[in-house]
Amino acid sequence: MVTVSPPKSEASASCAYALQLPHDVCAPRIARVTLRAVLTRHGLTQLIDTAELLTSELVTNAYRHSTGPATLRLRALPGARLRVSVWDANPHIPPPFDRRPGPLHPVPAEADGGRGLLLVCHYADAWGGYPLGDDLFGRGGKLLWCALGPQAVFGISDAP
C-alpha cells in the first residue's frame, strides 16, 4: 500500500490537535510529550523547547488552580507559528493574564508561586485569557492561550 504525506508546509498549516487531560499531577508531562510528538511530526521542531516550557506552565496552572480536567489545544498558524491554549473549569483569570499585554510586574521574592505565567508572557509572541460562560454542555471555566513562532525561541532572534 502506498501512502502519501502532504508537503511539510501543508502539513504544518493543517496541524490542529486537542488533548483531554485528567486532573492528575502527570498532566503537564503528558502534555509536553504529546506536544513534542506533534511538533516533530509537523516539521515545527524549532518551536519545541519554547513550546514545551509554555505548555507546561499553562497546564500546570490548570492543574494547580482547578479541580477538574483540562483540555490542551494545539494549532499551527501560518509562518511556522503555533497557538497553544488550555481550558480548565476555574473561571478566574490569573495575573498577568487578567490584564492587557504590557509591562510585566515582578513577583515578590517571598511569593510561593506566580512566576510560571510570567514566563509564558515573556517568551510568547502573544498571549491572553478569557472566562467562558456556561454553554449547553455545562462547560464554563476559562481559556488561557499563547502564540509563538521561530523568533520567540527563548528570546533569541535572527537579528544581529
Side-chain angles (χ1 to χ4, degrees), residues 29-94:
R29 176 164 167 43
I30 292 166
R32 287 191 307 272
V33 169
T34 301
L35 174 90
R36 181 174 283 276
V38 167
L39 294 183
T40 299
R41 166 63 181 95
H42 289 284
L44 297 170
T45 55
Q46 73 276 19
L47 301 179
I48 289 176
D49 292 337
T50 303
E52 276 186 333
L53 171 67
L54 305 185
T55 299
S56 184
E57 294 301 339
L58 290 174
V59 173
T60 297
N61 182 76
Y63 172 74
R64 291 188 68 199
H65 301 288
S66 182
T67 58
T71 301
L72 168 67
R73 293 188 182 270
L74 307 171
R75 179 173 301 272
L77 303 172
R81 296 174 44 77
L82 177 70
R83 180 178 173 128
V84 177
S85 57
V86 175
W87 168 87
D88 69 58
N90 182 346
H92 172 71
I93 306 296

Side-chain angles (χ1 to χ4, degrees), residues 125-142:
D125 293 338
W127 49 269
Y130 47 90
L132 302 174
D134 290 331
D135 64 13
L136 294 174
F137 303 105
R139 291 181 69 161
K142 70 173 168 295

